[in-house]
Amino acid sequence: MTTVLIADDQPLQRLGFRMLLESQDDMTVLGEAGNGAEAVRLAARHRPDVVLMDVRMPGMDGIEATRRILAAGERTRVLVLTTFDLDEYAYAGLRAGASGFLVKDALPEELLSGIRAVASGDAVVAPGLTRRLLDAYVRHLPAPAAEATADTTEPAVLDARLAPLTEREREVLTVIGKGLTNTEIAERLHLAESTVKTHVSRILAKTGARDRVQAVILAYDTGLVKADRP
């Protein structure tokens, strides 16, 4: 049974989500929150598998709530809901540790499959869309510290977060950051797809990334992948 906490400041929206989720045999709603602070309290109390998190709420917004829920170190994962698929809030949510995002007008089956995917440890953002999202907003961030080092051709190796990775794992992380799927990585690096999956699992374990989305963000943050900046 997948347990879900709904966080949205619109009562009718929460009711709609609850009715949809409780129509499923494998889902149950543990509670509802009307703002971020309440979402943090209820997540700590109930420890749901997934928090369905609206980002635009009064007081503490969904981004800060996501950050605090995940900082608690529980198994709870967050699925962010946004109005537009390339929304700065969606990007901020991913950086805060969310396992993915969906637009609010997603089809019911898309929402249900997204919740199930997040609960099982997968990310809900397709690799290509992840790359578009990061390219759109990472350019507005300060350049990673490693990027400022001009006297080396491999600045990312200097980042402590990459130190546990082998050279091959850094190579795989780089192409993950470029939005390639496992099949595409296998073709690009001339590896078996099962080998790629093993590398991805080891990268997540060694870096502490929660899922593939967080691995993509790590690739940007450490300078392995760079977005075009204005």
Side-chain angles (χ1 to χ4, degrees), residues 79 85-88 90-95 98-102 122-139 173-181 184 211-221 225-227:
L79 180 58
D85 66 350
L86 280 180
D87 187 313
E88 62 181 299
Y91 175 66
L94 296 181
R95 288 189 63 87
S99 294
F101 74 91
L102 289 172
D122 290 335
V124 180
V125 186
L129 186 54
T130 301
R131 179 63 192 268
R132 278 174 49 220
L133 183 70
L134 290 171
D135 272 345
Y137 293 102
V138 79
R139 69 186 62 185
L173 178 56
T174 299
V175 288
I176 289 174
K178 292 179 178 179
L180 274 65
T181 64
E184 291 167 338
D211 50 42
R212 198 181 188 96
V213 171
Q214 299 304 308
V216 173
I217 292 174
L218 177 66
Y220 273 84
D221 281 348
V225 179
K226 299 179 181 66

Side-chain angles (χ1 to χ4, degrees), residues 75-209:
R75 60 187 175 84
T76 298
R77 292 176 177 269
V78 176
L79 180 58
V80 167
L81 295 173
T82 66
T83 305
F84 305 105
D85 66 350
L86 280 180
D87 187 313
E88 62 181 299
Y89 288 97
Y91 175 66
L94 296 181
R95 288 189 63 87
S99 294
F101 74 91
L102 289 172
V103 290
K104 279 195 168 185
D105 60 357
L107 296 174
E109 55 266 29
E110 292 175 333
L111 178 63
L112 295 171
S113 63
I115 292 172
R116 292 185 180 106
V118 167
S120 69
D122 290 335
V124 180
V125 186
L129 186 54
T130 301
R131 179 63 192 268
R132 278 174 49 220
L133 183 70
L134 290 171
D135 272 345
Y137 293 102
V138 79
R139 69 186 62 185
H140 300 300
L141 301 174
E147 189 176 310
T149 305
D151 58 351
T152 175
T153 58
E154 295 184 88
V157 178
L158 301 177
D159 193 292
R161 290 170 291 180
L162 301 177
L165 302 182
T166 65
E167 183 176 351
R168 173 61 92 180
E169 287 165 351
R170 287 196 298 271
E171 188 177 14
V172 172
L173 178 56
T174 299
V175 288
I176 289 174
K178 292 179 178 179
L180 274 65
T181 64
N182 286 349
T183 300
E184 291 167 338
I185 293 172
E187 293 174 355
R188 171 78 66 88
L189 301 182
H190 306 291
L191 299 171
E193 191 165 347
S194 59
T195 302
V196 173
K197 291 178 181 178
T198 298
H199 282 311
V200 172
S201 296
R202 288 175 178 169
I203 289 167
L204 297 182
K206 289 182 179 181
T207 62

Side-chain angles (χ1 to χ4, degrees), residues 4-14 17 32-37 39-40 50-67 69 78-84 87 89-90 93 98 100-105 111:
V4 183
L5 172 66
I6 300 168
D8 195 296
D9 64 335
Q10 299 295 322
L12 286 178
Q13 186 80 71
R14 294 198 305 270
F17 287 145
E32 299 178 16
N35 56 61
V40 173
V50 179
V51 178
L52 201 57
M53 182 76 75
D54 183 23
V55 291
R56 302 181 183 184
M57 294 184 288
M60 183 189 298
D61 65 17
I63 305 304
E64 180 60 26
T66 294
R67 190 175 292 111
I69 288 170
V78 176
L79 180 58
V80 167
L81 295 173
T82 66
T83 305
F84 305 105
D87 187 313
Y89 288 97
F101 74 91
L102 289 172
V103 290
K104 279 195 168 185
D105 60 357
L111 178 63

